Amino acid sequence: MKKIIVWMLTIFSTICWAQEEQNDSLSVQNLNEIIVIGKKAALHLKQQKSLTSVEDYLQKSTKVNMIKRGAYAWEPTINNMSTERTVIMIDGMRIFGACTDKMDPITSYVEVSNLSEATVASGQQASCHGAAIGGSVNLKRSAFTQNPLGYNGSFISGYESNNKQKIIGGSLGYNNEKFYTHFDFMHRNAGNYKSGANQKINFSQFTKYNISATTGYFINKKNNLEASLIYDNATNLGYPALPMDVSLAKAEIFSLSYRYTPAFGIISNWETKFYANSVTHKMDDTKRPSVPIHMDMPGWSDTYGFYSTLKGKYKAHDFTADLNAFYNKSIAEMTMYPADPKENLMFMYTWPDVRTLYNGLSLEDYIKINPKTTLRIGTAIGFHSNDVINDLALESLRIFYPEMQDSKKRFLKSFTVNFSQKKGDLEYGFGGAYAERASSVSEGYGFYLYNSSDFYDYIGNPFLKNEKALEANFLLNYKTKQLSSKITSSYFHFNDYIIGQIDPNILPMTIGAAGVKKYTALSYAAIFNTDLNLEYSLSQNWLLKTQFVYSLGKDNQGNNLPFISPIRYSAGIDYKNRNLNLGILALGNLAQKEFAEAYGQTKTPDYLIFNLTAGYSFQWTENIIKLQTGIENICDKYYTTFSDWNKIPRMGRNIFINIVYRLQ
């Protein structure tokens, strides 16, 4: 059945490529991907499942995968690179998780009800956001400057049958000619979910609250001040793929921004933002029925930063200059409680109060060579420093690194160039880039961080060099009235590739651990990604869409790199008219035969599931009510994917209903 589906999609792709229609317009093209758009309405009002998670939306991108450790807070990867090699932002703000096990990705601290779009940038298309190699995701909250004058608001509610998730929320805003304010609230509560064949997955429950508030003032038509706040509080978070759960995951995010938007002139937009955020994360295992030794593992991450982004146009040049900086404090602890209360507690710092300072400048220029040809040139330079403040933690690390200093400074550089040209309905582009990144807090200073996937304790390495990568990318885009088709490919060749390797001379600390891995730098590694996106309009109301993604990653010994996606695909058909929408989607992976055996991974079988959605909008008095319902995993398939930690199974059949009541 799965092979038939793949062959049908391939034949359909070939037919689509045979279509032709003339169109001579050219837009600036790059590998950036805005995967969800709602400029004048919240993101959830534009989707077939209005109240799903932010992570679920991001998976619509062929560049993004999710590493899942439970039903909550999935870790996004871009171009098959984890968060160390990428940048995840909220409204351009840098935020860092406080969990050594990556149980609190930045995407978990926002809600779909207050987002307008998510911009996925591949590779060095993301260079303006800081030093990264894989790319970036910028989660943009809804803008309220253009809302109609007067009051506006909404009420939202939802229910999901599988884990009995209950969702409730709402928003209220007010705009006049000089002032605007908006408040948004969302609450989710879910029990343990069931995988296919009705198997209960214990410790997969979660509860969270999210509050977002924005207030702005127009000094005049060109100048605007805005303050915003996000408060996200999640409790009783189960992680069935891990040996511990989370009692608290909390984020407090504040920003103050100034925008200058002249009506004409060289400068088109100038935004400066100051921000501060604090993340608290507490792991504990007190609800687990049997553990060798009870532990508490709290972590804290505080970040202060700013950016100033200037955009303008001069003749054939569309340029951007971005100055950004942040200061981050990361600290994490572990306390172990022996079964015998007469024995002393065991305590250590797993993150030794590391202070990270980054200052960066990036410049980009889109040059319109002629009406059909563009050239993009970008460069960035950054100063990065780490300081270990805690003396006790520093002395612990010096057991392994006697010559270690308490600070390390680096310069990080990147450069990119992309060429794009259009011929009729066909557009193609190619480019190259060079980038560097610094090691993360865990890679540089982590102390006995247990990885439950490969069963090793990890120790950081403060002497790691900058990781470097050469990137080559390619784009082919063919678009007519009926057809939109796009192929992108990227190849990354790494030098000093950072990864953990076994050190047989060090004994593990975690009970049951197979050994210890130290972070080290391989001489080289490589990752290749290619994807195909097709959309074909059968009529004004019917749309066919397909996706294919293929990836491959190898280290310097020819071993497969961990968490590289096998071939994944999807195909769907949507029907939309003014009030009604229907959709059916098939998605799956082929078997992961090229798994990273050298890094503790095992083979993952193929899978194919089907989802069905339906929605209807109608007007009640002067307001709008939108009903959405659907069935996910219709056949109740029991399956797991390459990115499911410890092969934890995915959710089985799930029936959902979402209701949105919006004031006009």
Side-chain angles (χ1 to χ4, degrees):
M1 178 65 179
K2 301 178 185 67
K3 292 183 179 179
I4 293 174
I5 293 286
V6 174
W7 277 110
M8 289 175 63
L9 297 179
T10 305
I11 293 169
F12 170 67
S13 303
T14 305
I15 293 172
C16 288
W17 274 98
Q19 308 296 315
E20 291 187 5
E21 184 175 324
Q22 295 300 314
N23 186 346
D24 293 329
S25 65
L26 174 69
S27 61
V28 175
Q29 183 64 260
N30 55 47
L31 298 182
N32 283 12
E33 185 177 6
I34 300 177
I35 60 170
V36 283
I37 301 174
K39 294 291 185 182
K40 295 184 179 180
L43 181 155
H44 65 283
L45 299 176
K46 300 286 185 178
Q47 305 300 318
Q48 292 181 332
K49 185 180 179 183
S50 303
L51 303 180
T52 191
S53 65
V54 173
E55 294 91 344
D56 204 29
Y57 282 120
L58 290 177
Q59 289 184 117
K60 297 177 185 294
S61 168
T62 53
K63 306 295 180 190
V64 178
N65 270 311
M66 293 289 166
I67 297 177
K68 297 190 178 183
R69 298 170 173 88
Y72 181 79
W74 310 334
E75 178 194 354
T77 66
I78 307 173
N79 285 320
N80 289 279
M81 300 182 212
S82 58
T83 48
E84 293 88 357
R85 296 180 174 89
T86 63
V87 175
I88 312 295
M89 299 162 293
I90 300 173
D91 285 336
M93 297 181 287
R94 297 298 302 270
I95 305 168
F96 297 88
C99 176
T100 57
D101 282 355
K102 301 183 182 180
M103 298 156 79
D104 64 337
I106 307 312
T107 49
S108 67
Y109 292 122
V110 287
E111 269 293 347
V112 293
S113 58
N114 51 49
L115 291 181
S116 65
E117 67 182 41
T119 305
V120 180
S122 176
Q124 287 313 291
Q125 302 286 333
S127 59
C128 64
H129 300 304
I133 291 176
S136 74
V137 174
N138 190 14
L139 301 167
K140 299 181 180 180
R141 291 192 298 159
S142 300
F144 306 106
T145 56
Q146 302 300 319
N147 279 4
L149 300 184
Y151 287 97
N152 57 83
S154 66
F155 170 80
I156 54 181
S157 182
Y159 180 79
E160 302 195 15
S161 66
N162 188 292
N163 60 354
K164 296 180 173 55
Q165 182 179 175
K166 296 169 284 293
I167 306 167
I168 191 167
S171 66
L172 181 64
Y174 175 79
N175 284 56
N176 65 26
E177 294 179 352
K178 281 284 189 180
F179 171 81
Y180 60 91
T181 186
H182 191 89
F183 174 85
D184 182 276
F185 169 79
M186 177 77 89
H187 170 60
R188 296 178 184 266
N189 180 266
N192 294 317
Y193 72 84
K194 296 178 181 178
S195 65
N198 206 36
Q199 179 179 327
K200 184 179 178 181
I201 306 301
N202 292 320
F203 312 111
S204 59
Q205 77 288 336
F206 63 87
T207 299
K208 76 166 295 185
Y209 299 86
N210 183 276
I211 297 171
S212 174
T214 301
T215 298
Y217 177 75
F218 292 101
I219 300 172
N220 52 44
K221 291 183 178 181
K222 298 180 181 180
N223 298 275
N224 169 229
L225 284 172
E226 183 176 284
S228 70
L229 171 70
I230 298 174
Y231 177 79
D232 190 276
N233 188 298
T235 58
N236 189 27
L237 306 174
Y239 287 87
L242 299 174
M244 300 186 73
D245 299 314
V246 173
S247 60
L248 175 68
K250 182 176 69 174
E252 298 162 309
I253 304 166
F254 174 78
S255 68
L256 179 64
S257 63
Y258 164 75
R259 299 187 193 94
Y260 172 62
T261 52
F264 55 87
I266 295 177
I267 298 175
S268 59
N269 183 276
W270 190 356
E271 180 182 13
T272 299
K273 177 179 287 187
F274 294 88
Y275 60 87
N277 53 76
S278 178
V279 177
T280 302
H281 194 269
K282 295 182 178 180
M283 288 188 282
D284 79 276
D285 55 11
T286 55
K287 294 187 178 181
R288 295 296 174 101
S290 177
V291 293
I293 183 169
H294 281 291
M295 293 185 291
D296 286 335
M297 295 181 64
W300 301 269
S301 174
D302 298 328
T303 306
Y304 309 89
F306 86 94
Y307 68 80
S308 186
T309 303
L310 176 70
K311 296 182 178 181
K313 183 177 178 63
Y314 179 73
K315 295 184 178 179
H317 300 266
D318 283 283
F319 59 87
T320 302
D322 182 273
L323 179 66
N324 65 88
F326 67 81
Y327 177 80
N328 172 259
K329 171 186 175 182
S330 292
I331 184 169
E333 303 172 351
M334 176 189 288
T335 302
M336 290 170 278
Y337 300 88
D340 185 353
K342 295 180 181 179
E343 295 184 16
N344 293 327
L345 300 179
M346 291 176 282
F347 175 86
M348 66 182 182
Y349 288 99
T350 49
W351 281 349
D353 197 356
V354 180
R355 311 293 175 91
T356 301
L357 174 66
Y358 178 83
N359 294 278
L361 173 67
S362 70
L363 304 170
E364 289 185 357
D365 189 11
Y366 281 98
I367 307 168
K368 192 173 183 180
I369 299 173
N370 58 51
K372 297 180 181 293
T373 308
T374 61
L375 181 69
R376 172 186 177 268
I377 300 174
T379 187
I381 187 169
F383 170 76
H384 181 282
S385 70
N386 290 129
D387 291 279
V388 179
I389 302 301
N390 189 283
D391 291 334
L392 174 61
L394 180 62
E395 292 304 317
S396 298
L397 281 168
R398 281 176 174 164
I399 296 172
F400 306 106
Y401 307 102
E403 298 178 359
M404 172 187 173
Q405 301 298 311
D406 60 0
S407 65
K408 187 173 182 65
K409 296 175 173 57
R410 311 167 185 261
F411 281 98
L412 304 171
K413 308 170 289 295
S414 71
F415 178 80
T416 181
V417 59
N418 283 88
F419 174 84
S420 176
Q421 188 167 52
K422 190 176 180 76
K423 291 186 177 181
D425 297 324
L426 182 67
E427 184 172 9
Y428 66 89
F430 55 88
Y434 171 81
E436 298 176 353
R437 76 164 181 101
S439 54
S440 68
V441 173
S442 290
E443 292 170 334
Y445 304 97
F447 191 73
Y448 282 102
L449 305 178
Y450 180 61
N451 184 318
S452 61
S453 178
D454 62 9
F455 309 110
Y456 279 84
D457 283 332
Y458 279 67
I459 292 175
N461 182 353
F463 294 107
L464 289 169
K465 298 179 181 179
N466 294 346
E467 186 177 89
K468 311 163 193 68
L470 288 170
E471 174 192 349
N473 54 67
F474 171 77
L475 164 73
L476 187 63
N477 195 8
Y478 181 77
K479 190 172 184 178
T480 68
K481 275 187 178 180
Q482 288 183 289
L483 171 69
S484 174
S485 55
K486 184 178 180 181
I487 295 175
T488 66
S489 298
S490 59
Y491 175 78
F492 298 86
H493 182 89
F494 297 85
N495 292 107
D496 299 314
Y497 184 84
I498 301 173
I499 199 166
Q501 291 198 313
I502 297 172
D503 189 330
N505 299 314
I506 305 176
L507 295 176
M509 182 175 292
T510 303
I511 297 173
V516 172
K517 288 185 177 181
K518 272 188 181 182
Y519 281 105
T520 187
L522 305 182
S523 57
Y524 68 88
I527 294 178
F528 171 75
N529 304 286
T530 187
D531 57 77
L532 169 65
N533 284 273
L534 290 171
E535 291 188 357
Y536 186 76
S537 178
L538 297 173
S539 67
Q540 183 178 356
N541 302 114
W542 291 92
L543 178 69
L544 286 168
K545 54 187 180 182
T546 66
Q547 284 186 347
F548 293 91
V549 183
Y550 172 75
S551 303
L552 183 66
K554 298 284 186 179
D555 68 10
N556 59 336
Q557 300 294 323
N559 299 310
N560 294 308
L561 294 175
F563 292 104
I564 302 294
S565 173
I567 293 176
R568 59 185 174 106
Y569 58 90
S570 67
I573 183 167
D574 292 338
Y575 172 82
K576 289 183 181 180
N577 64 22
R578 184 174 180 181
N579 296 320
L580 176 68
N581 67 80
L582 301 169
I584 186 167
L585 178 68
L587 66 154
N589 281 1
L590 297 187
Q592 189 188 32
K593 297 179 181 179
E594 297 177 333
F595 57 92
E597 185 175 8
Y599 296 98
Q601 289 193 301
T602 57
K603 181 179 177 179
T604 305
D606 60 350
Y607 77 92
L608 174 64
I609 63 170
F610 297 90
N611 299 333
L612 177 68
T613 59
Y616 188 77
S617 298
F618 60 93
Q619 198 157 355
W620 187 56
T621 63
E622 297 182 354
N623 304 315
I624 291 177
I625 296 178
K626 182 178 181 181
L627 300 176
Q628 293 288 154
T629 188
I631 307 175
E632 299 169 315
N633 193 356
I634 295 174
C635 300
D636 201 27
K637 173 78 172 179
Y638 181 94
Y639 71 103
T640 186
T641 78
F642 78 100
S643 61
D644 293 319
W645 204 258
N646 286 330
K647 296 292 189 292
I648 178 178
R650 296 281 181 103
M651 187 177 287
R653 184 185 298 113
N654 181 44
I655 301 172
F656 70 86
I657 182 167
N658 297 161
I659 302 173
V660 178
Y661 175 71
R662 184 155 55 101
L663 301 174
Q664 290 293 89

